[in-house]
Amino acid sequence: MTQVPGDPRERMLSVAVAALNEREPERLWPLVAGALPGLCGGEMLVYKLDDWNESAGTVGMPSALADVFDGLGEKNMGLLRAGFPFAEHYAARSDRTPLTARRAAGRAWRASPTARLIGDVMDADHVLAIPLPRSMAPITGCMVYRSGEDFTDDHVRTAQQLQPLLAAVEEQRQLLERLRRATAPSPAEGPAREAAADCALTPRELTVLLLLTDALTAAAIGRRLGISDRTVHKHIEKIYRKLGTRDRVSTVLRAQHLGLVPTA
């Protein structure tokens, strides 16, 4: 997914729908990375699912861009991880409003090693940081790059509008990871795993069950999954029936006993 037709709101909606229907957690951020730059005036994107610091942290990017960075040494990868000047900027405050590198660092941006790096490797001149809105420690998010003129105020406003979508994508990724861990077969589980299989929960029911363990309301579960409250209640009723329970507490305890959800 590189470009989605229509105005920015329609394109944002298309990305959200695609993310909600994706069932493989490792595909979510690459999907966003292919669509997001064009929504806020950029040409390419790097995303960080952990802290912006130069010593450690994963860096995700579209496959075409990954090929470019394969040959970078550790020093240059450190510059990319740190994302100057954003790590220092966001660490010093709770505000997570998107910001361009030039506005954050002033004249120091042009002379920085990071600016030279992205110029040499990406042929880009400017960076727009889009941190996840509630990330505190670690600070996580995306960096969007472009050549030529800096990002406009409209681009920055669009990036701010995208922040809730990015937060929802990350929540969905973490949920899918939890679901994968909870349902992965394990020989050590023995009879408990066999009993769980006998419950015949569907993948969507397992997802709802995981969210029940977080004590979310039906309305909150519906918002997370993009379904109505009524549909959530129907899933919960089926879960109760299949697990032989009558309320949330006993359902979660039963599911933990069967190995359907983590115990902590």
Side-chain angles (χ1 to χ4, degrees):
M1 174 185 276
T2 55
Q3 286 290 339
V4 184
D7 64 33
R9 289 185 180 181
E10 291 176 344
R11 292 157 65 187
M12 287 167 60
L13 180 60
S14 296
V15 174
V17 170
L20 283 171
N21 284 282
E22 178 56 61
R23 291 294 174 261
E24 299 296 329
E26 62 273 8
R27 294 180 182 177
L28 277 171
W29 276 102
L31 181 154
V32 171
L36 182 64
L39 294 174
C40 50
E43 298 160 3
M44 60 199 79
L45 175 147
V46 166
Y47 56 90
K48 293 290 302 298
L49 302 183
D50 40 35
D51 203 3
W52 280 339
N53 71 77
E54 64 183 31
S55 60
T58 56
V59 176
M61 60 194 75
S63 57
L65 192 56
D67 293 340
V68 176
F69 281 92
D70 279 346
L72 287 183
E74 186 59 31
K75 181 178 179 180
N76 283 335
M77 283 303 299
L79 290 174
L80 188 65
R81 289 192 190 101
F84 172 84
F86 304 119
E88 181 177 348
H89 173 84
Y90 288 116
R93 51 184 59 80
S94 59
D95 181 16
R96 294 293 176 262
T97 303
L99 188 69
T100 68
R102 184 179 62 81
R103 295 180 189 181
R107 294 181 178 178
W109 164 245
R110 285 287 191 183
S112 69
T114 302
R116 289 195 294 271
L117 173 66
I118 68 166
D120 292 342
V121 178
M122 301 186 197
D123 193 26
D125 303 300
H126 303 281
V127 190
L128 171 62
I130 314 177
L132 296 188
R134 293 183 296 275
S135 64
M136 297 302 293
I139 303 167
T140 61
C142 306
M143 289 176 281
V144 183
Y145 302 83
R146 69 175 288 163
S147 57
E149 298 296 321
D150 197 7
F151 294 86
T152 66
D153 290 341
D154 284 341
H155 293 147
V156 175
R157 279 192 291 270
T158 299
Q160 190 168 4
Q161 293 172 348
L162 285 165
Q163 284 180 297
L165 170 60
L166 298 180
V169 166
E170 178 58 10
E171 288 177 354
Q172 180 77 346
R173 184 188 70 84
Q174 292 180 14
L175 174 61
L176 291 172
E177 290 282 9
R178 288 175 55 202
L179 179 61
R180 175 179 286 178
R181 290 194 298 269
T183 58
S186 172
E189 290 176 347
R193 174 55 58 186
E194 294 175 9
D198 290 341
C199 295
L201 294 176
T202 66
R204 178 47 62 94
E205 289 165 356
L206 280 171
T207 303
V208 171
L209 180 58
L210 274 170
L211 294 174
L212 284 177
T213 66
D214 290 338
L216 295 181
T217 64
I221 292 173
R223 288 193 297 271
R224 180 78 66 87
L225 300 179
I227 57 180
S228 69
D229 296 7
R230 183 179 179 184
T231 300
V232 173
H233 283 299
K234 286 183 177 179
H235 285 312
I236 293 174
E237 289 172 3
K238 291 179 180 179
I239 293 168
Y240 286 177
R241 185 173 67 252
K242 291 179 180 182
L243 296 187
T245 55
R246 295 184 178 181
D247 57 61
R248 289 193 177 208
V249 174
S250 61
T251 298
V252 171
L253 292 174
R254 176 69 172 161
Q256 290 174 340
H257 174 72
L258 293 175
L260 287 167
V261 297
T263 56

